[in-house]
Amino acid sequence: MQTAAIRYELGDHHSFEFVEGAIAHPMDPGIKSLVSEHDEFFCYLDETSASSCITALDDLETYMAAEGPFDAVMAFSQGASLAATLMIQKLWQDPIQQHINPLFKCAVFFSGGIPGDPVAIRRNEPRLLDHATDGEVIQVPTAHIWGSKDPQHLSFGLPLSQLCKNETRMVFTHEGGHEVPGSSSKDAVTGSVNAIRRTVAKAVSAQ
């Protein structure tokens, strides 16, 4: 998704790397008004396949090792779910190390999907995490941004936010749908940027 407006407002003291999906996928109905139906669309993984989920996690971890470290992650929809799942996997593998030197110091999730249980995935018993069972499993500061008109907001946005530490999470709801706010939605961009800046500030103060 286009993040140009948000990146511009954040200023040029941030740098970004982009990780693209590689699996062809039909267009999500939630972004129909934002793109051309003739565009090609890709996702990171096949959510119905445990092996696809494992490959996506392993590929992202390999990319992190080769190109990182990175201070933060900013991700949308399924990408947010994937990033969050890797964060949880690393935390469960080595809680002490992740407390001292986390994979990311903070995270920004736009319409974030629900992360999977990284242990269950590797047992070929995939399940989605939920707050009632798993509690607050992401401890670093997070920003959660989603649209009030997103018909999928109960699956993309709210559940992921509840899995993150209450004291250090920021939630901003804009008036759009399943999207990253762009230049046509000035108030949404401003609100998103404010939430991101507060999240970054919390991460910096925690160091």
Side-chain angles (χ1 to χ4, degrees), residues 11 15 22-23 35 40 48 94 110 114 120 128 130 137 172 178 185 199:
S15 60
I23 300 176
V35 296
E40 292 185 302
T48 67
D94 194 342
F110 293 94
I114 306 172
L128 298 179
D130 72 90
V137 290
F172 173 66
H178 194 72
S185 307
T199 300

Side-chain angles (χ1 to χ4, degrees), residues 14-203:
H14 300 284
S15 60
F16 298 84
E17 297 284 339
F18 298 91
V19 180
E20 305 291 344
I23 300 176
H25 192 273
M27 179 185 68
D28 188 295
I31 63 171
K32 184 177 181 179
S33 63
L34 306 174
V35 296
S36 167
E37 63 181 18
H38 302 296
D39 289 343
E40 292 185 302
F41 302 92
F42 299 89
C43 64
Y44 295 101
L45 54 93
D46 177 357
E47 295 173 347
T48 67
S49 166
S51 64
S52 177
C53 295
I54 292 168
T55 297
L57 282 170
D58 291 346
D59 287 349
L60 182 56
E61 186 170 16
T62 298
Y63 180 87
M64 290 289 303
E67 303 295 335
F70 298 99
D71 291 323
V73 62
M74 186 164 71
F76 170 73
S77 195
Q78 188 191 70
S81 171
L82 175 61
T85 302
L86 182 60
M87 293 169 70
I88 294 163
Q89 175 176 283
K90 300 293 284 185
L91 177 65
W92 287 359
Q93 287 174 343
D94 194 342
I96 295 176
Q97 176 62 23
Q98 286 300 301
H99 178 73
I100 297 170
N101 186 28
L103 181 66
F104 303 111
K105 296 180 178 68
C106 64
V108 178
F109 298 128
F110 293 94
S111 301
I114 306 172
D117 179 334
V119 176
I121 290 171
R122 295 182 186 279
R123 295 198 305 256
N124 199 27
E125 301 172 355
R127 76 173 185 95
L128 298 179
L129 299 179
D130 72 90
H131 178 262
T133 301
D134 303 290
E136 296 175 352
V137 290
I138 294 178
Q139 300 296 305
V140 299
T142 53
H144 304 268
I145 300 161
W146 68 81
S148 61
K149 296 177 183 176
D150 183 355
Q152 306 178 82
H153 79 275
L154 293 179
S155 297
F156 290 87
L158 180 62
L160 175 54
S161 72
Q162 294 172 332
L163 288 164
C164 299
K165 188 176 181 180
N166 181 58
E167 291 81 3
T168 56
R169 74 178 177 228
M170 293 291 305
V171 174
F172 173 66
T173 306
H174 55 85
E175 295 184 358
H178 194 72
E179 62 191 83
V180 176
S183 57
S184 63
S185 307
K186 184 176 181 180
D187 289 345
V189 170
T190 300
S192 299
V193 168
N194 287 340
I196 294 168
R197 285 176 173 159
R198 293 189 187 111
T199 300
V200 171
K202 288 181 180 180

